[in-house]
Amino acid sequence: NAGVTQTPKFRVLKTGQSMTLLCAQDMNHEYMYWYRQDPGMGLRLIHYSVGEGTTAKGEVPDGYNVSRLKKQNFLLGLESAAPSQTSVYFCASSHDRKANQPQHFGDGTRLSIL
Amino acid sequence: GENVEQHPSTLSVQEGDSAVIKCTYSDSASNYFPWYKQELGKGPQLIIDIRSNVGEKKDQRIAVTLNKTAKHFSLHITETQPEDSAVYFCAASAFSGGYNKLIFGAGTRLAVHP
């Protein structure tokens, strides 16, 4: 059971380039989330999805887009990368049919924008 | 807006000593409080959680206490071991907008010295 898998693990981009971060979960979870982690700031929610075909904005959505075409996959896109988007990105998933379900995290994608 | 304050930001203890990390939350609707451990290069891993109808929960060397009146919750690790060295995050969750909105503290870097 792999849990939450993120690809790639590392990436370096130039300002203005685009890329897509991939997240896959094999736990049949309904809810999926994208966070960014910056030093001294904990984790901040970028976008989330409550089910296949649905997405919603989180705390820091600007500059990012997401898609949830399949229940097990959640994609995070950067259309025009900026140095401020240098961060570690984490995907998470949870059962959220009812409240108080823990979120399970992947091991992150470390992204540097030059 | 909602926030979670976590203290201390760094903590250094000798092997065998106890470690305590404290968090304060602002959203009175929060009713679920997970704690995550993050090792270098890995994603956050859930180590223990507590719900608002419980004041204390233990799991071997780890315990969490919750004071809803004061909006405080704490993580206690007894008989610390070098493998407990990691960054620990507290979080407070309120079911809002159809999902568990998790607000994270900024993290505590725990170092356990042999």
Side-chain angles (χ1 to χ4, degrees):
Chain A
N1 190 340
V4 178
T5 303
Q6 293 184 234
T7 54
K9 295 186 185 303
F10 305 94
R11 186 72 184 269
V12 178
L13 291 178
K14 295 181 179 179
T15 298
Q17 287 185 315
S18 63
M19 79 162 294
T20 300
L21 280 64
L22 312 179
C23 177
Q25 54 93 6
D26 61 3
M27 297 174 282
N28 201 34
H29 284 168
E30 288 292 331
Y31 286 48
M32 297 187 73
Y33 313 82
W34 275 107
Y35 292 89
R36 60 177 289 171
Q37 185 177 43
D38 301 295
M41 300 186 71
L43 289 95
R44 293 181 293 168
L45 184 65
I46 304 171
H47 286 281
Y48 66 98
S49 169
V50 301
E52 182 179 318
T54 70
T55 63
K57 294 180 179 180
E59 180 186 0
V60 288
D62 293 343
Y64 305 95
N65 56 76
V66 288
S67 63
R68 184 98 180 269
L69 299 180
K70 294 183 179 181
K71 183 178 182 179
Q72 64 268 34
N73 296 335
F74 195 28
L75 309 182
L76 178 71
L78 286 72
E79 291 186 348
S80 179
S84 61
Q85 294 177 305
T86 293
S87 188
V88 182
Y89 292 86
F90 288 99
C91 176
S93 69
S94 69
H95 282 300
D96 253 338
R97 289 300 188 190
K98 57 182 180 180
N100 299 334
Q101 297 298 310
Q103 294 184 19
H104 302 268
F105 286 81
D107 281 339
T109 294
R110 285 146 187 81
L111 184 61
S112 293
I113 316 295
L114 304 179
Chain B
E2 305 97 336
N3 74 294
V4 174
E5 294 188 358
Q6 182 172 347
H7 299 282
S9 57
T10 60
L11 181 58
S12 181
V13 301
Q14 290 297 123
E15 183 176 0
D17 287 349
S18 295
V20 180
I21 301 170
K22 298 181 179 181
C23 291
T24 304
Y25 61 97
S26 62
D27 186 357
S28 57
S30 297
N31 55 12
Y32 174 63
F33 306 90
W35 285 88
Y36 287 87
K37 175 184 181 182
Q38 186 176 23
E39 298 177 331
L40 191 63
K42 298 291 187 180
Q45 297 296 311
L46 180 73
I47 56 172
I48 195 168
D49 55 13
I50 190 167
R51 289 163 172 78
S52 59
N53 58 344
V54 175
E56 183 175 2
K57 182 177 179 180
K58 288 184 179 180
D59 183 3
Q60 299 183 338
R61 297 185 296 108
I62 294 174
V64 58
T65 59
L66 172 64
N67 182 331
K68 284 217 73 179
T69 302
K71 296 182 185 175
H72 290 168
F73 59 114
S74 301
L75 178 71
H76 304 252
I77 305 174
T78 59
E79 299 174 17
T80 54
Q81 301 168 4
E83 51 264 38
D84 294 329
S85 296
V87 179
Y88 291 81
F89 291 95
C90 63
S93 175
F95 195 70
S96 173
Y99 79 108
N100 271 335
K101 184 177 183 180
L102 262 184
I103 305 296
F104 286 86
T108 296
R109 185 174 300 278
L110 174 64
V112 181
H113 301 286

PDB file of all heavy atoms in Angstrom, chain B residues 59-73:
ATOM      1  N   ASP B  59      -0.577   7.329  23.950  1.00  0.00           N
ATOM      2  CA  ASP B  59      -0.177   6.225  23.085  1.00  0.00           C
ATOM      3  C   ASP B  59       1.284   5.946  23.368  1.00  0.00           C
ATOM      4  O   ASP B  59       2.164   6.620  22.854  1.00  0.00           O
ATOM      5  CB  ASP B  59      -0.393   6.576  21.615  1.00  0.00           C
ATOM      6  CG  ASP B  59      -0.054   5.417  20.688  1.00  0.00           C
ATOM      7  OD1 ASP B  59       0.299   4.323  21.182  1.00  0.00           O
ATOM      8  OD2 ASP B  59      -0.136   5.608  19.455  1.00  0.00           O
ATOM      9  N   GLN B  60       1.525   5.001  24.249  1.00  0.00           N
ATOM     10  CA  GLN B  60       2.881   4.622  24.675  1.00  0.00           C
ATOM     11  C   GLN B  60       3.592   5.841  25.265  1.00  0.00           C
ATOM     12  O   GLN B  60       3.173   6.330  26.302  1.00  0.00           O
ATOM     13  CB  GLN B  60       3.643   3.992  23.496  1.00  0.00           C
ATOM     14  CG  GLN B  60       2.960   2.725  22.975  1.00  0.00           C
ATOM     15  CD  GLN B  60       3.734   2.054  21.856  1.00  0.00           C
ATOM     16  OE1 GLN B  60       4.553   2.643  21.165  1.00  0.00           O
ATOM     17  NE2 GLN B  60       3.475   0.773  21.659  1.00  0.00           N
ATOM     18  N   ARG B  61       4.644   6.331  24.634  1.00  0.00           N
ATOM     19  CA  ARG B  61       5.411   7.446  25.219  1.00  0.00           C
ATOM     20  C   ARG B  61       4.862   8.820  24.859  1.00  0.00           C
ATOM     21  O   ARG B  61       5.411   9.837  25.274  1.00  0.00           O
ATOM     22  CB  ARG B  61       6.866   7.353  24.765  1.00  0.00           C
ATOM     23  CG  ARG B  61       7.594   6.101  25.227  1.00  0.00           C
ATOM     24  CD  ARG B  61       9.076   6.150  24.847  1.00  0.00           C
ATOM     25  NE  ARG B  61       9.285   6.163  23.388  1.00  0.00           N
ATOM     26  CZ  ARG B  61       9.697   7.226  22.713  1.00  0.00           C
ATOM     27  NH1 ARG B  61       9.932   8.380  23.318  1.00  0.00           N
ATOM     28  NH2 ARG B  61       9.863   7.146  21.393  1.00  0.00           N
ATOM     29  N   ILE B  62       3.817   8.848  24.087  1.00  0.00           N
ATOM     30  CA  ILE B  62       3.266  10.109  23.610  1.00  0.00           C
ATOM     31  C   ILE B  62       1.901  10.351  24.233  1.00  0.00           C
ATOM     32  O   ILE B  62       1.088   9.431  24.336  1.00  0.00           O
ATOM     33  CB  ILE B  62       3.141  10.085  22.072  1.00  0.00           C
ATOM     34  CG1 ILE B  62       4.519  10.028  21.433  1.00  0.00           C
ATOM     35  CG2 ILE B  62       2.385  11.303  21.569  1.00  0.00           C
ATOM     36  CD1 ILE B  62       4.484   9.865  19.928  1.00  0.00           C
ATOM     37  N   ALA B  63       1.664  11.594  24.646  1.00  0.00           N
ATOM     38  CA  ALA B  63       0.359  11.963  25.184  1.00  0.00           C
ATOM     39  C   ALA B  63       0.003  13.355  24.682  1.00  0.00           C
ATOM     40  O   ALA B  63       0.886  14.176  24.417  1.00  0.00           O
ATOM     41  CB  ALA B  63       0.367  11.938  26.704  1.00  0.00           C
ATOM     42  N   VAL B  64      -1.275  13.592  24.564  1.00  0.00           N
ATOM     43  CA  VAL B  64      -1.750  14.916  24.180  1.00  0.00           C
ATOM     44  C   VAL B  64      -2.839  15.330  25.165  1.00  0.00           C
ATOM     45  O   VAL B  64      -3.647  14.499  25.587  1.00  0.00           O
ATOM     46  CB  VAL B  64      -2.260  14.931  22.724  1.00  0.00           C
ATOM     47  CG1 VAL B  64      -3.379  13.938  22.521  1.00  0.00           C
ATOM     48  CG2 VAL B  64      -2.688  16.322  22.314  1.00  0.00           C
ATOM     49  N   THR B  65      -2.819  16.602  25.558  1.00  0.00           N
ATOM     50  CA  THR B  65      -3.840  17.142  26.442  1.00  0.00           C
ATOM     51  C   THR B  65      -4.536  18.305  25.746  1.00  0.00           C
ATOM     52  O   THR B  65      -3.934  18.996  24.923  1.00  0.00           O
ATOM     53  CB  THR B  65      -3.235  17.630  27.774  1.00  0.00           C
ATOM     54  OG1 THR B  65      -2.248  18.640  27.489  1.00  0.00           O
ATOM     55  CG2 THR B  65      -2.576  16.487  28.523  1.00  0.00           C
ATOM     56  N   LEU B  66      -5.781  18.501  26.067  1.00  0.00           N
ATOM     57  CA  LEU B  66      -6.582  19.554  25.452  1.00  0.00           C
ATOM     58  C   LEU B  66      -7.354  20.302  26.522  1.00  0.00           C
ATOM     59  O   LEU B  66      -8.027  19.692  27.353  1.00  0.00           O
ATOM     60  CB  LEU B  66      -7.559  18.950  24.439  1.00  0.00           C
ATOM     61  CG  LEU B  66      -8.614  19.887  23.839  1.00  0.00           C
ATOM     62  CD1 LEU B  66      -7.947  20.982  23.009  1.00  0.00           C
ATOM     63  CD2 LEU B  66      -9.607  19.096  22.997  1.00  0.00           C
ATOM     64  N   ASN B  67      -7.262  21.627  26.480  1.00  0.00           N
ATOM     65  CA  ASN B  67      -8.050  22.498  27.342  1.00  0.00           C
ATOM     66  C   ASN B  67      -8.867  23.407  26.432  1.00  0.00           C
ATOM     67  O   ASN B  67      -8.363  24.420  25.940  1.00  0.00           O
ATOM     68  CB  ASN B  67      -7.135  23.319  28.260  1.00  0.00           C
ATOM     69  CG  ASN B  67      -7.915  24.199  29.218  1.00  0.00           C
ATOM     70  OD1 ASN B  67      -9.027  24.637  28.925  1.00  0.00           O
ATOM     71  ND2 ASN B  67      -7.333  24.472  30.366  1.00  0.00           N
ATOM     72  N   LYS B  68     -10.111  23.035  26.177  1.00  0.00           N
ATOM     73  CA  LYS B  68     -10.929  23.793  25.223  1.00  0.00           C
ATOM     74  C   LYS B  68     -11.288  25.173  25.754  1.00  0.00           C
ATOM     75  O   LYS B  68     -11.437  26.113  24.975  1.00  0.00           O
ATOM     76  CB  LYS B  68     -12.200  23.008  24.889  1.00  0.00           C
ATOM     77  CG  LYS B  68     -11.984  21.863  23.939  1.00  0.00           C
ATOM     78  CD  LYS B  68     -13.155  21.709  22.981  1.00  0.00           C
ATOM     79  CE  LYS B  68     -13.188  22.778  21.934  1.00  0.00           C
ATOM     80  NZ  LYS B  68     -14.302  22.623  20.979  1.00  0.00           N
ATOM     81  N   THR B  69     -11.426  25.299  27.063  1.00  0.00           N
ATOM     82  CA  THR B  69     -11.773  26.596  27.625  1.00  0.00           C
ATOM     83  C   THR B  69     -10.680  27.616  27.335  1.00  0.00           C
ATOM     84  O   THR B  69     -10.957  28.751  26.928  1.00  0.00           O
ATOM     85  CB  THR B  69     -12.003  26.481  29.137  1.00  0.00           C
ATOM     86  OG1 THR B  69     -13.047  25.532  29.379  1.00  0.00           O
ATOM     87  CG2 THR B  69     -12.377  27.825  29.741  1.00  0.00           C
ATOM     88  N   ALA B  70      -9.428  27.176  27.532  1.00  0.00           N
ATOM     89  CA  ALA B  70      -8.288  28.063  27.309  1.00  0.00           C
ATOM     90  C   ALA B  70      -7.796  28.025  25.869  1.00  0.00           C
ATOM     91  O   ALA B  70      -6.893  28.780  25.503  1.00  0.00           O
ATOM     92  CB  ALA B  70      -7.157  27.684  28.262  1.00  0.00           C
ATOM     93  N   LYS B  71      -8.341  27.119  25.063  1.00  0.00           N
ATOM     94  CA  LYS B  71      -7.917  26.930  23.672  1.00  0.00           C
ATOM     95  C   LYS B  71      -6.444  26.561  23.603  1.00  0.00           C
ATOM     96  O   LYS B  71      -5.687  27.092  22.771  1.00  0.00           O
ATOM     97  CB  LYS B  71      -8.215  28.171  22.837  1.00  0.00           C
ATOM     98  CG  LYS B  71      -9.691  28.485  22.714  1.00  0.00           C
ATOM     99  CD  LYS B  71      -9.922  29.708  21.823  1.00  0.00           C
ATOM    100  CE  LYS B  71     -11.379  30.085  21.789  1.00  0.00           C
ATOM    101  NZ  LYS B  71     -11.598  31.352  21.030  1.00  0.00           N
ATOM    102  N   HIS B  72      -6.020  25.674  24.471  1.00  0.00           N
ATOM    103  CA  HIS B  72      -4.648  25.190  24.521  1.00  0.00           C
ATOM    104  C   HIS B  72      -4.633  23.684  24.307  1.00  0.00           C
ATOM    105  O   HIS B  72      -5.520  22.970  24.799  1.00  0.00           O
ATOM    106  CB  HIS B  72      -4.008  25.468  25.887  1.00  0.00           C
ATOM    107  CG  HIS B  72      -3.728  26.908  26.152  1.00  0.00           C
ATOM    108  ND1 HIS B  72      -3.376  27.363  27.412  1.00  0.00           N
ATOM    109  CD2 HIS B  72      -3.719  27.989  25.345  1.00  0.00           C
ATOM    110  CE1 HIS B  72      -3.197  28.670  27.345  1.00  0.00           C
ATOM    111  NE2 HIS B  72      -3.413  29.075  26.114  1.00  0.00           N
ATOM    112  N   PHE B  73      -3.623  23.175  23.618  1.00  0.00           N
ATOM    113  CA  PHE B  73      -3.375  21.748  23.584  1.00  0.00           C
ATOM    114  C   PHE B  73      -1.877  21.508  23.520  1.00  0.00           C
ATOM    115  O   PHE B  73      -1.125  22.367  23.036  1.00  0.00           O
ATOM    116  CB  PHE B  73      -4.129  21.042  22.458  1.00  0.00           C
ATOM    117  CG  PHE B  73      -3.839  21.522  21.066  1.00  0.00           C
ATOM    118  CD1 PHE B  73      -3.214  20.679  20.156  1.00  0.00           C
ATOM    119  CD2 PHE B  73      -4.234  22.779  20.627  1.00  0.00           C
ATOM    120  CE1 PHE B  73      -2.969  21.090  18.858  1.00  0.00           C
ATOM    121  CE2 PHE B  73      -3.989  23.199  19.334  1.00  0.00           C
ATOM    122  CZ  PHE B  73      -3.346  22.348  18.444  1.00  0.00           C
TER     123      PHE B  73
END
